[in-house]
Amino acid sequence: MKTAEDQVVEEDTRFQDEEDTFFQDIDLLQKHGINMADIKKMKLVGICTIKGIQMTTRKALCNIKGLSEAKVEKIKEAAGKMLNVGFQTAFEYSTRRKQVFNITTGSQEFDKLLGGGIESMAITEAFGEFRTGKTQLSHTFCVCFLVLFHVILDSGPSRPDRLKDIADRFNVDHGAVLDNVLYARAYTSEHQMELLDFVAAKFHEEGGVFKLLIIDSIMALFRVDFSGRGELAERQQKLAQMLSRLQKISEEYNVAVFITNQMTADPGAGMSFQADPKKPIGGHILAHASTTRISLRKGRAEMRIAKIFDSPDMPENEATFAISAGGVTDAKE
């Protein structure tokens, strides 16, 4: 008969085994007859783990230069043998969810609203008008969670000096902060998608080191590259592909994904007597892809109000915070 201590050790070992299989290297496919040349082809497009193969369709794999349908079937079959692709109990899934962590916003009230901060294995979206604190949140995240590295994909010019100001608030060395952030400027929506291949490869290369991926802003380049109703369907399809990739990266490497979004006027708001005639852009595609959506609006002076717009487990509520020289902080009454 097992003692309570034996049971705890067994559960701990099982959790460790699950954590190990979560990040199985794609190189292990060689043991199942897949040659290294084909493995390198997949790595070039950011597929670096066995779970990454499971998350990629056969059609997408066939689009990789040099991979035939026969090779793809063999790769899928090999990956299936190495992963449990069937069902699991809710208890097993909840055990895996213990790997989820939270990143603080810099404000205790804001953290309380989010249940401890933004969480990993999820996409958190913050939308609002200009000067509501979206970029300030991004910068504060990078300093508050200094122990590990972060990646920022930006659609506009970066302001690294802003990180130094926030570092002063937390008494952190400027060099340490800047060294812990990888930054890339995206110039088109296609370039933004290509950078995600680099991100996936980097997350795999330095497994467990990166914990936060920020895209500021998710829709800015799509608004430039696609214009008018004639290109709306294509824009939404490309957006859906990018968001799907982000969700897979967050789950595959256990990172938090934080995206900012812009607002647009809603022509139909006047007909429905809505209090706010503006809405976040991206439509239903973005709304369904984001795990948690946060609405930001201006208050008095440096005060800002954050509201849970949509969340799977958090009630619709509000929190007040402030933007200071040291980034996002608690509002002073």
Side-chain angles (χ1 to χ4, degrees):
M1 185 174 179
K2 292 180 183 177
T3 65
E5 187 175 345
D6 289 336
Q7 192 171 348
V8 169
V9 171
E10 185 177 301
E11 287 182 359
D12 205 39
T13 304
R14 182 172 61 187
F15 177 70
Q16 185 63 47
D17 289 342
E18 286 181 349
E19 193 173 31
D20 290 341
T21 58
F22 199 75
F23 296 101
Q24 288 184 92
D25 196 294
I26 198 174
D27 289 344
L28 294 174
L29 287 175
Q30 290 182 86
K31 297 179 180 178
H32 294 264
I34 309 301
N35 66 61
M36 197 61 199
D38 291 335
I39 291 173
K40 286 181 178 179
K41 290 169 187 174
M42 288 186 283
K43 283 186 174 181
L44 286 174
V45 295
I47 303 173
C48 304
T49 67
I50 303 301
K51 193 170 182 69
I53 293 173
Q54 184 187 15
M55 290 175 167
T56 308
T57 63
R58 285 173 171 79
K59 181 180 178 181
L61 288 172
C62 286
N63 287 336
I64 299 174
K65 188 176 181 181
L67 292 188
S68 63
E69 288 186 18
K71 285 183 177 181
V72 167
E73 283 301 323
K74 189 176 180 181
I75 290 169
K76 278 285 188 180
E77 183 181 347
K81 291 177 181 177
M82 300 173 68
L83 278 178
N84 176 21
V85 294
F87 289 93
Q88 58 183 323
T89 66
F91 177 78
E92 289 171 335
Y93 183 67
S94 68
T95 302
R96 175 160 292 190
R97 288 282 298 172
K98 289 179 181 178
Q99 298 177 60
V100 172
F101 59 86
N102 294 89
I103 299 178
T104 177
T105 62
S107 162
Q108 292 183 0
E109 284 299 310
F110 203 162
D111 286 347
K112 186 177 178 182
L113 178 73
L114 296 172
I118 63 169
E119 65 177 17
S120 64
M121 292 195 199
I123 297 176
T124 302
E125 173 198 354
F127 64 84
E129 296 182 84
F130 62 95
R131 294 191 68 248
T132 51
K134 301 185 295 294
T135 300
Q136 301 303 322
L137 260 176
S138 302
H139 287 146
T140 306
F141 284 139
C142 290
V143 181
C144 284
F145 207 68
L146 182 66
V147 290
L148 291 166
F149 289 79
H150 316 298
V151 174
I152 298 179
L153 299 186
D154 208 339
S155 57
S158 177
R159 296 289 184 271
D161 287 343
R162 190 72 188 95
L163 293 175
K164 295 179 182 178
D165 295 335
I166 300 172
D168 288 337
R169 168 190 165 192
F170 293 97
N171 297 316
V172 178
D173 179 68
H174 291 176
V177 169
L178 297 179
D179 282 343
N180 275 27
V181 178
L182 282 185
Y183 168 81
R185 171 82 182 275
Y187 293 96
T188 67
S189 56
E190 286 183 358
H191 184 208
Q192 199 171 47
M193 189 67 173
E194 289 167 2
L195 286 171
L196 290 183
D197 292 339
F198 169 81
V199 166
K202 195 68 177 174
F203 284 2
H204 173 74
E205 182 184 334
E206 301 183 45
V209 172
F210 292 90
K211 289 298 178 184
L212 175 64
L213 170 60
I214 297 170
I215 299 186
D216 184 18
S217 105
I218 188 71
M219 290 300 301
L221 296 173
F222 282 96
R223 296 183 90 174
V224 174
D225 296 346
F226 301 91
S227 59
R229 290 186 175 274
E231 296 184 339
L232 181 60
E234 185 183 359
R235 186 194 80 171
Q236 292 303 89
Q237 183 183 38
K238 298 291 186 183
L239 175 63
Q241 291 171 353
M242 178 174 292
L243 291 168
S244 175
R245 188 71 197 279
L246 284 173
Q247 187 61 58
K248 290 170 183 175
I249 287 173
S250 73
E251 294 180 13
E252 191 176 357
Y253 299 104
N254 189 20
V255 298
V257 174
F258 179 70
I259 60 177
T260 68
N261 194 11
Q262 302 169 344
M263 302 282 283
T264 186
D266 185 359
M271 302 294 291
S272 57
F273 304 102
Q274 291 181 19
D276 190 354
K278 297 175 290 297
K279 63 180 181 180
I281 57 178
H284 296 297
I285 295 290
L286 187 50
H288 290 307
S290 299
T291 311
T292 300
R293 307 188 85 190
I294 307 165
S295 169
L296 302 177
R297 67 180 191 271
K298 299 173 188 173
R300 290 180 288 106
E302 298 303 316
M303 305 274 274
R304 301 290 185 270
I305 298 96
K307 179 180 179 180
I308 295 291
F309 191 79
D310 183 35
S311 173
D313 53 3
M314 302 302 296
E316 287 190 17
N317 211 341
E318 293 186 352
T320 303
F321 65 96
I323 297 175
S324 67
V328 171
T329 186
D330 284 311
K332 295 179 181 178
E333 297 297 335

